[in-house]
Amino acid sequence: MKFEKKTISGILLIIVSILILIVPNILLNDSQGILNLCLTIISKICLFLFLGLVLLRLTRSFFWSYLILGTAYLLSSIIEISNIILLDHYITADNITSLLNASKSEVQEFYHLFRVYLVVPAVLIAAFIFIVIKYKSIAYNIKNQKLIIPLALIALVISIPVSFLRIYHSDKALSGKGLIDCTLRIDYLMDHPFNILNESYVFVKNSIRARKYKAQHDNFSFGILNQSDTQKPKLVVFIIGERMRYANWSINGYNRETSPNLEKIKNLISFKKNYSNSNFTYGSIPLIITQATPKDPTLAYSQKTIVTLFKEAGYETNWISSQYLFDIINEKNTPDHLYPLYARQHTDMDIIPLFDSVLNKKTPKNRLIIINMLGGHGGVPAKFNVFNPNDSHEDHPVTLSNAAIFINTYDNMMLFQDYVLSEITKMTERQNVSSVVMFTADHGCNLFDNGKALFGYGSANPTEKETHVPMFISVSDKYIENNHNKYKNLLDHRDLLTTNNNLFYSLADLANIKYKSFVKQQSISDPSFVEFPSRFVRADNKVFEFKNVKDNELNSGLAENASTKEDNTSKK
Ligand SMILES: [Zn+2]
């Protein structure tokens, strides 16, 4: 009886001692349903046991094993819990950058706002010290030495399949990525306690890359050739959408009315075959706002962005940022004015009044306004939830049988984006100046197309739907008066194959900015624009080539037959 009591209290001690160290795993999964939460806890306890038993075998001491492993877990725990309270996700490389660059007043403000939460780490540390002392009284039995490694392996063998099961029941199962790879990355590498190490590695890698290209980048200049040219539009607006499919807007032929507002805008040209250069945000954004290409992605770091081009050309530059993108492109400090909508709870609807206030600020200069939207990652105001049933009131599991729900949810988002984009375009036109609005998206997504259980984006083999993105250009009457030929060229080229690579050159050309490395054949508004025989997509560290297909082949899926070649640039 006495032995049993001792065993039970020993087991309880082990469970509590692990539970206090896996709080971040629990916090991030507490809203994911009870089954998911249980699978997470089982997997994480087994992972801790695996690591703990290996240490026990080495140190032959419960006290030292728990002290060493527990300290590492506790450090990660405190950092991750703080980040979850602040931002609702694990720490990222960018958060590390912000943390290291925080000013004294930012630290004081943070302390003032969040000091109440400091009680959580304080309680964890106190509990940890209490348990470490308890472990001191538990003697290590050398007779069990041979059992430890098999036990550790059993713990690992339980942890991985349980995690696999969790991922298998999530939307990741339909993302087109390898499931084992997904499990190891999402549930181990990017999860507590390894996430902080992984993100520190990414932070260091980014810093090394920035340093490697720093001299080239800092000395880079576009070299404007027509500085005193007065034929530049007063206002240029460049909008980057998020997770937007070409196919789901009625302006592009979709059978649901998802873009009633854009359709009413005169002088708006929607391009038919515009493709993104990557199928995920981090891969795509640098290739949109620089001259970098899927085959030559490092130009994104050795050269400068479209913001600098317009700055060099005498424009006042503004950036309205609804989604945080600046850890991808290191561009936070370049615009003359940055409007960080991402820093508070908001939807893309908040862009409208902010854009209005930017327009109303008087400036003698021409103006570039870049807007990057939350798009398919953001909330949709209730009045746009017109396609039912959808995912706005309760979460549904992402399964093929729920396809209709996710398509409705997606179409509501497209309808909302149509409203925001058309408002921005109309407000620009109302300025009654020579103006250009250009819109595209970073990538599209899969939506159970052709009855396939494929949902989301970033798949290892990029599909047509992940990269076929909407792109439109809208110009004011005043602009057409002065640039009739450019407008005509846009109309002539609206059905040709274009990619987000063309946007940099086209935006420069539409703004009548001439500079040294400008390639006129790549500008859609130039009469010499040539359609490429292929387009390229950078995904999964490879470059995929897609042959330009005729319209009748596009719908038959032939566009998805890609040839790949191993990417050497990233290995250099
Ligand atoms: Zn994205």
Side-chain angles (χ1 to χ4, degrees):
M1 194 66 187
K2 200 181 167 194
F3 170 77
E4 260 180 38
K5 213 174 158 189
K6 215 175 160 187
T7 312
I8 291 168
S9 61
I11 290 172
L12 268 178
L13 176 71
I14 291 171
I15 291 176
V16 174
S17 65
I18 299 174
L19 280 180
I20 61 157
L21 296 175
I22 59 167
V23 175
N25 305 110
I26 299 170
L27 277 182
L28 262 200
N29 288 285
D30 64 349
S31 61
Q32 306 287 311
I34 190 75
L35 174 72
N36 210 314
L37 183 61
C38 289
L39 290 178
T40 301
I41 293 174
I42 293 167
S43 169
K44 298 308 160 188
I45 287 180
C46 288
L47 175 68
F48 186 94
L49 284 175
F50 166 72
L51 298 169
L53 286 165
V54 171
L55 262 179
L56 185 63
R57 177 71 173 75
L58 295 171
T59 62
R60 300 181 179 194
S61 154
F62 283 100
F63 170 75
W64 282 110
S65 301
Y66 189 69
L67 183 68
I68 295 168
L69 189 59
T71 305
Y73 261 78
L74 195 65
L75 279 175
S76 165
S77 249
I78 290 169
I79 293 167
E80 299 296 9
I81 289 171
S82 310
N83 220 74
I84 292 168
I85 290 171
L86 268 177
L87 301 166
D88 207 25
H89 57 71
Y90 283 139
I91 198 162
T92 64
D94 171 65
N95 299 150
I96 297 173
T97 315
S98 314
L99 209 63
L100 295 178
N101 295 322
S103 64
K104 201 179 163 191
S105 64
E106 280 171 323
V107 173
Q108 279 168 344
E109 193 189 324
F110 166 79
Y111 175 73
H112 188 73
L113 282 171
F114 294 98
R115 62 188 162 178
V116 58
Y117 294 111
L118 291 178
V119 75
V120 180
V123 168
L124 284 183
I125 293 169
F128 178 70
I129 294 170
F130 176 78
I131 292 168
V132 167
I133 294 166
K134 280 260 173 204
Y135 270 108
K136 205 150 195 192
S137 61
I138 302 174
Y140 178 75
N141 190 344
I142 194 84
K143 274 194 267 174
N144 296 332
Q145 177 87 343
K146 278 187 180 162
L147 276 177
I148 289 179
I149 292 303
L151 277 176
L153 290 176
I154 290 171
L156 188 66
V157 163
I158 296 172
S159 176
I160 293 177
V162 167
S163 278
F164 183 84
L165 201 65
R166 210 175 76 81
I167 298 292
Y168 187 75
H169 282 109
S170 75
D171 59 348
K172 302 289 182 303
L174 305 176
S175 68
K177 299 170 191 128
L179 263 185
I180 294 184
D181 180 56
C182 242
T183 305
L184 294 178
R185 281 178 62 80
I186 295 170
D187 243 25
Y188 293 91
L189 195 60
M190 294 162 76
D191 204 344
H192 165 68
F194 300 119
N195 177 63
I196 177 87
L197 292 176
N198 182 44
E199 291 300 320
S200 302
Y201 166 74
V202 174
F203 167 76
V204 170
K205 205 171 79 172
N206 289 350
S207 309
I208 291 171
R209 186 182 60 200
R211 195 169 301 168
K212 183 177 165 192
Y213 293 107
K214 191 180 183 307
Q216 254 178 298
H217 178 269
D218 291 355
N219 292 325
F220 181 84
S221 155
F222 286 101
I224 306 294
L225 303 170
N226 61 336
Q227 198 64 262
S228 55
D229 195 329
T230 53
Q231 282 299 303
K232 299 190 180 86
K234 285 294 289 175
L235 181 57
V236 177
V237 183
F238 182 38
I239 313 164
I240 306 169
E242 168 66 60
R243 195 174 160 248
M244 306 272 293
R245 281 160 61 114
Y246 170 88
N248 284 54
W249 255 345
S250 44
I251 196 171
N252 298 327
Y254 190 44
N255 57 12
R256 274 179 163 175
E257 202 185 31
T258 46
S259 54
N261 297 298
L262 287 170
E263 281 157 47
K264 287 187 204 113
I265 292 177
K266 64 167 189 171
N267 309 342
L268 184 145
I269 307 167
S270 181
F271 288 79
K272 196 172 178 183
K273 284 163 72 179
N274 185 63
Y275 287 84
S276 177
N277 299 312
S278 183
N279 63 345
F280 63 106
T281 315
Y282 272 61
S284 175
I285 295 292
L287 307 190
I288 292 178
I289 63 161
T290 69
Q291 297 189 113
T293 65
K295 287 189 195 166
D296 201 353
T298 56
L299 289 180
Y301 311 103
S302 60
Q303 296 192 351
K304 290 177 181 168
T305 69
I306 194 94
V307 182
T308 302
L309 175 77
F310 275 76
K311 244 179 144 169
E312 282 187 27
Y315 274 72
E316 180 204 87
T317 52
N318 299 267
W319 191 310
I320 296 175
S321 187
S322 185
Q323 178 180 198
Y324 192 92
L325 291 182
F326 299 110
D327 51 347
I328 319 176
I329 44 169
N330 203 11
E331 192 62 29
K332 212 172 182 174
N333 300 320
T334 314
D336 298 308
H337 306 286
L338 176 71
Y339 301 92
L341 267 180
Y342 58 79
R344 61 179 167 91
Q345 292 271 344
H346 73 286
T347 68
D348 280 335
M349 194 66 109
D350 296 287
I351 294 172
I352 297 171
L354 183 53
F355 182 67
D356 190 43
S357 70
V358 175
L359 287 181
N360 286 324
K361 277 186 191 153
K362 294 273 171 284
T363 169
K365 284 183 163 185
N366 293 337
R367 248 189 309 212
L368 168 75
I369 305 176
I370 294 189
I371 304 171
N372 73 279
M373 304 179 76
L374 266 172
H377 289 335
V380 172
K383 69 170 174 173
F384 295 96
N385 280 321
V386 302
F387 301 110
N388 291 298
N390 58 58
D391 214 27
S392 60
H393 292 298
E394 57 169 315
D395 285 342
H396 296 83
V398 182
T399 59
L400 191 55
S401 55
N402 282 337
I405 293 173
F406 288 95
I407 294 168
N408 289 339
T409 304
Y410 188 83
D411 288 346
N412 290 333
M413 184 278 293
M414 293 297 277
L415 188 66
F416 172 44
Q417 296 289 303
D418 162 73
Y419 176 77
V420 177
L421 288 165
S422 62
E423 285 302 304
I424 293 170
T425 311
K426 284 189 274 186
M427 284 153 80
T428 306
E429 172 76 39
R430 280 201 294 269
Q431 293 290 304
N432 204 19
V433 295
S434 174
S435 64
V436 177
V437 177
M438 181 189 273
F439 167 80
T440 193
D442 60 346
H443 52 79
C445 70
N446 297 302
L447 275 182
F448 305 100
D449 299 290
N450 306 322
K452 278 191 215 152
L454 203 57
F455 179 81
Y457 59 92
S459 66
N461 288 302
T463 63
E464 202 264 341
K465 290 288 186 281
E466 280 173 273
T467 48
H468 194 185
V469 288
M471 196 269 278
F472 69 71
I473 295 173
S474 169
V475 291
S476 65
D477 288 336
K478 281 233 163 85
Y479 182 87
I480 298 177
E481 277 170 30
N482 303 329
N483 304 275
H484 190 262
N485 285 341
K486 286 192 201 294
Y487 182 63
K488 187 185 165 291
N489 294 333
L490 290 176
L491 286 170
D492 287 348
H493 299 147
R494 67 194 301 173
D495 291 341
L496 300 185
L497 174 71
T498 55
T499 73
N500 282 355
N501 270 150
N502 297 115
L503 303 189
F504 196 103
Y505 301 100
S506 304
L507 208 56
D509 188 27
L510 286 166
N512 204 15
I513 297 173
K514 299 190 169 39
Y515 63 98
K516 285 185 288 189
S517 54
F518 178 69
V519 185
K520 64 177 182 177
Q521 291 84 355
Q522 289 219 42
S523 162
I524 310 166
S525 47
D526 192 275
S528 64
F529 171 73
V530 280
E531 197 183 27
F532 285 109
S534 298
R535 65 184 173 93
F536 296 90
V537 175
R538 194 179 164 77
D540 200 26
N541 264 335
K542 297 181 194 112
V543 177
F544 293 77
E545 180 176 7
F546 294 84
K547 293 263 177 273
N548 184 15
V549 286
K550 299 280 178 294
D551 285 355
N552 55 347
E553 294 168 343
L554 197 70
N555 297 325
S556 66
L558 280 177
E560 294 180 24
N561 295 328
S563 59
T564 357
K565 57 184 171 198
E566 283 298 320
D567 173 32
N568 295 318
T569 44
S570 64
K571 288 168 194 153
K572 270 179 197 164

